[in-house]
Amino acid sequence: RQFTPEYMALDPQIVGINNNLASLRDKIAARQSQSQQTYLDEVQRAVQAGSLKEADIRKQLVELQSRAQTFSHRLSEYDGMSLDLDQLQLQTQMIRDQIIEAEVRKPFQASIDILEPPMQPGFPIGPNYTRDSGLALLLAVMLSLLTLGIYTLINRQHRPGIVLSTYSNHPQPQVVQEQLATDSRTGISYQQARELTVGECRSLLESAPLHCKLALTLMLSGVSANELLRLDAADFDEKTRQLMVPGQHQRRLTLPELALETFKRIRADSNTGLWATPAGEQLTLPELELMLEHASEDAGLNEPEPVGFKDIRLGYLLFLARQGGKLNDIEQTAGYLSATEMTQCRQIEVADELTQSAVLATAHPALVQEAVA
């Protein structure tokens, strides 16, 4: 109203509005047509579904009529059988009455049936004293043995069990170490493990193959050698940097960055399993320990003997013991402890200020300091 048509034809904004108006009208018409077609399709589908449902209902009605006829036929049969049963019961009662009446009328007429003819015995009838005496003697011997066993169980001396929560780290005398080396009662000698330094552990990590390096990082984080092959890729949580150790001593461990990087490299290189070789074969614990021996030889640590998993395990347990941890705290972090490992941990002298520590550092210093290639 304010502008002339010539001016509005020159204004680009008004020209664009007019063009958009025509486009919107076309879109509205298209939307209306599409909406009508959609509604028509929905109505057709509803009609088709109703037809199918009607056919299904008719089929069910036919089946129900057939079952009703069958039921009616069986009901008529049951009615006939019920009538026959009533007649049989009536006949049975009549026969019983006749029998009772006949017994009342003839009470003194006895009937005798001979089941077996009489015979004369060929041996005297009496108890078998020999057999009975043998059974009595056998029973007396069995009761004596049972009484002796119960008496032995009652008077057996039991040693008090070990309670881990009462353990503390106290140095043991040298006699215990000698007993660990050689047991005089059995003559069995135990091979002493040695504790590796942080530098030696780093040298091993640098020389170890990929799977052996993963085993070393896990053992220096709290996993025992017997638990290595039970681990799978699903037990690693990369977001929380934690490892769920399965088995009887189930626990959750926080892994250092080196262990997670080694796990990622193995998972990227292998699709057949955590402990699978490039050829697809599963590694065994002796094969992993043989890799460790080769790595110790490459690192120059095979004197006086090659490094084994027992040495790595001992170094980690002593690392926890030096922090003032009790045996039950160490077992909650490192899993099951043998009697030898308990004794070795208890021989560590701990400073008084470390004895009061409530939280143990679970990552070995060889893993948390400078990175290992």
Side-chain angles (χ1 to χ4, degrees):
R1 294 177 182 179
Q2 296 178 0
F3 305 101
T4 61
E6 291 80 3
Y7 176 79
M8 288 189 295
L10 297 176
D11 191 349
Q13 184 177 2
I14 296 176
V15 172
I17 291 175
N18 290 329
N19 294 333
N20 291 335
L21 179 61
S23 176
L24 290 174
R25 287 176 178 174
D26 294 339
K27 289 183 180 180
I28 290 173
R31 291 288 179 87
Q32 288 178 351
S33 177
Q34 183 180 1
S35 176
Q36 291 175 359
Q37 185 64 33
T38 302
Y39 180 74
L40 180 60
D41 294 340
E42 291 179 356
V43 171
Q44 289 178 354
R45 285 195 296 269
V47 171
Q48 186 176 3
S51 300
L52 294 176
K53 189 173 183 180
E54 181 184 2
D56 190 15
I57 292 174
R58 290 183 180 278
K59 182 178 179 181
Q60 293 179 3
L61 180 60
V62 172
E63 293 178 357
L64 291 175
Q65 288 178 353
S66 176
R67 291 173 62 183
Q69 292 177 0
T70 304
F71 179 78
S72 300
H73 180 68
R74 290 184 178 180
L75 183 61
S76 61
E77 291 181 355
Y78 291 155
D79 291 339
M81 294 171 65
S82 177
L83 293 176
D84 295 340
L85 180 61
D86 293 338
Q87 293 179 0
L88 288 175
Q89 290 179 351
L90 182 59
Q91 292 178 3
T92 303
Q93 187 64 33
M94 292 177 60
I95 292 174
R96 288 178 180 175
D97 294 340
Q98 293 176 0
I99 292 174
I100 293 174
E101 184 178 359
E103 290 178 353
V104 170
R105 289 180 179 179
K106 299 179 180 178
F108 300 105
Q109 293 181 359
S111 60
I112 300 175
D113 296 332
I114 299 176
L115 301 179
E116 185 179 356
M119 60 175 294
Q120 185 177 2
F123 57 90
I125 299 175
N128 191 343
Y129 295 105
T130 304
R131 181 196 60 191
D132 295 344
S133 300
L135 292 177
L137 180 60
L138 179 62
L139 181 60
V141 172
M142 293 176 63
L143 288 176
S144 302
L145 294 177
L146 180 61
T147 305
L148 181 60
I150 294 174
Y151 177 79
T152 304
L153 291 176
I154 293 176
N155 292 276
R156 179 180 298 175
Q157 296 181 356
H158 297 277
R159 296 183 179 180
I162 297 176
V163 181
L164 292 179
S165 60
T166 60
Y167 280 168
S168 59
N169 293 329
H170 297 289
Q172 298 297 318
Q174 186 67 22
V175 180
V176 178
Q177 297 182 0
E178 296 176 356
Q179 290 179 355
L180 289 175
T182 304
D183 193 342
S184 60
R185 295 174 298 176
T186 60
I188 300 176
S189 61
Y190 300 96
Q191 189 175 8
Q192 291 292 334
R194 56 170 173 162
E195 181 182 6
L196 302 178
T197 63
V198 176
E200 291 175 341
C201 291
R202 290 178 183 171
S203 300
L204 276 179
L205 290 172
E206 293 175 357
S207 305
L210 192 58
H211 285 90
C212 184
K213 184 176 181 180
L214 178 61
L216 289 176
T217 55
L218 293 178
M219 290 190 64
L220 292 177
S221 301
V223 182
S224 64
N226 296 328
E227 296 171 336
L228 288 175
L229 298 183
R230 301 176 187 173
L231 299 177
D232 198 0
D235 298 327
F236 290 80
D237 191 350
E238 300 181 17
K239 295 182 180 179
T240 60
R241 299 178 59 183
Q242 289 186 344
L243 170 66
M244 188 64 190
V245 182
Q248 184 177 4
H249 298 274
Q250 184 177 3
R251 60 197 182 278
R252 188 178 294 273
L253 301 175
T254 302
L255 296 179
E257 188 65 27
L258 180 60
L260 289 176
E261 291 178 357
T262 309
F263 163 70
K264 292 177 182 178
R265 290 176 58 186
I266 291 179
R267 188 185 60 180
D269 296 342
S270 177
N271 296 325
T272 57
L274 183 61
W275 303 104
T277 62
E281 299 178 355
Q282 296 294 326
L283 292 173
T284 61
L285 192 59
E287 291 175 349
L288 288 175
E289 191 159 13
L290 186 60
M291 291 181 183
L292 179 59
E293 293 181 1
H294 293 322
S296 66
E297 185 176 357
D298 294 339
L301 303 177
N302 56 348
E303 295 296 337
E305 60 182 9
V307 179
F309 283 149
K310 63 182 184 303
D311 305 318
I312 307 299
R313 176 70 170 175
L314 175 63
Y316 183 75
L317 295 179
L318 297 184
F319 160 69
L320 296 178
R322 288 192 178 93
Q323 301 180 47
K326 296 183 179 180
L327 291 182
N328 55 339
D329 298 330
I330 297 176
E331 192 170 31
Q332 290 178 2
T333 302
Y336 173 75
L337 298 178
S338 63
T340 305
E341 294 172 344
M342 291 181 184
T343 305
Q344 292 170 342
C345 291
R346 294 183 64 188
Q347 292 174 356
I348 300 299
E349 296 183 0
V350 183
D352 295 337
E353 60 272 11
L354 295 178
T355 307
Q356 305 298 329
S357 177
V359 179
L360 299 179
T362 58
H364 195 270
L367 302 178
V368 298
Q369 294 183 1
E370 57 188 49
V372 181

